[in-house]
Structures are given as structure tokens and as C-alpha cells.
Amino acid sequence: MDDLDPPSLEELMRQTASGDQEAFASLYDQVAARVHGLVVRILRDQAQSEEVTQEVFLQVWRSAPSFDPARGSALSWLMTLAHRRAVDRVRSAQAQSVRDADYESLRDKPLQDPTSQEVEDRWQAQTVRSAVTELGPPHQEAVELAYFQGMTHREVSLALGVPLGTAKTRIRDGLRKLRETTGGAR
């Protein structure tokens, strides 16, 4: 190798790691077009690609000491940094888009009137209570104990003096009848 041959990328990385600004400038001159080309292919936006390319070279300047030639070439290390930084930018943009959409969907919802909500809740509760009374004694009792008094299936069976399986059947059948009479979904 004579004096006219440019130093290898690995040598430029070693010199950059020791703080040599001229080596960094030479490294930049040799690989900037490739790095930028990769970033543009990922981002497809020229302005963002320029920003990310600049971020990559800032990262190279700061983390050059962490480059280990035993683990791969300088070019592959640089391209990996560029790829990761570009993918991070895409993910960040997607996350921001989702956050914006979520915000817009929440903002566009009309505020719910608490009074009308309370009226609707009471109307629904009255409809359910009326439907429960129409179930008939064995199902009505089981459903009331389970859902209005919060008893477990075992407690319902003890309260009604019936086997556990019978209590479960009465509750299940009562709920099915309620669904049919109130027009609820299955």
C-alpha cells in the first residue's frame, strides 16, 4: 500500500474513534451517498432522509469507539446504524399517526349528557327487572339471587335448597329467556 491509496473504512473508523476529525470527514465522503441512499429507500421522504442521515453520522462520531472490526466490516456497521435509525423513524411516524387518529376520534365524539345517560340506564334497569319478574318462580328466584344479590352458584343452590347443577341450569335458562324477551344478542 503506497501513500496514494486512501485508508480503509476500518482504519478511518479507528482514527475517528480517537477523535480525528479529518478521518471522520474522509469516512463521510466515502460512505455518505450509500448511507443516504439506504435511508431514502426506507423513508421515501427526502427531508426526513436528510435528517436521519445526519443523525446516523452524529451517532457514528459518538459511538465510533464501539466499532469492533472483528464483528464485521465498517461498511456493514454503518449501514446497520442507518437501517436501524431509518426504521425507528418509520415506527415513530406510525405511532404518532395512531396517536393522532386516537386523539381525533376522541375529540370528535359528542360529549355525553349525564342526565340522559342516567335516564337511559334507569330505563334499561327497569326493563330488565320487569323481564325478570316475567320469568316465573324457579328461574326468577335463581337469577335474582345470582345477579341482584351477587350470590355464587353454590350459594344459590343452598338458598334454594336444590342441587348445584339445578341452580346452574335455572340461572342459565333464566338468562336465555331474558335474552329472548329483551331482544339481547346471544
Side-chain angles (χ1 to χ4, degrees), residues 44-164:
R44 299 173 193 229
D45 178 89
Q46 190 61 34
Q48 281 194 26
S49 297
E50 290 170 3
E51 286 179 24
V52 169
T53 301
Q54 183 178 6
E55 291 170 8
V56 168
F57 280 100
L58 181 60
Q59 184 178 0
V60 167
W61 176 254
R62 290 180 177 164
S63 62
S66 69
F67 169 68
D68 181 4
R71 296 180 67 197
S73 72
L75 183 60
S76 66
W77 186 75
L78 289 162
M79 297 304 271
T80 299
L81 290 179
H83 184 268
R84 288 179 182 164
R85 183 68 63 145
V87 169
D88 286 347
R89 179 65 65 99
V90 169
R91 288 180 180 150
S92 175
Q94 288 173 337
Q96 182 63 43
S97 177
V98 168
R99 282 191 300 272
D100 290 347
D102 289 347
Y103 174 76
E104 288 299 321
S105 70
L106 291 174
R107 208 181 87 196
D108 291 344
K109 285 184 180 178
L111 294 176
Q112 199 162 17
D113 178 21
T115 305
S116 66
Q117 183 63 44
E118 186 175 339
V119 168
E120 185 177 331
D121 291 346
R122 285 184 182 182
W123 178 80
Q124 287 177 348
Q126 182 58 39
T127 302
V128 170
R129 287 194 183 273
S130 296
V132 168
T133 59
E134 295 173 12
L135 288 177
H139 298 111
Q140 177 184 352
E141 291 173 324
V143 170
E144 284 178 345
L145 291 173
Y147 290 95
F148 295 156
Q149 294 185 23
M151 292 185 174
T152 64
H153 289 146
R154 183 168 305 286
E155 292 170 336
V156 171
S157 75
L158 293 173
L160 295 177
V162 297
L164 179 60

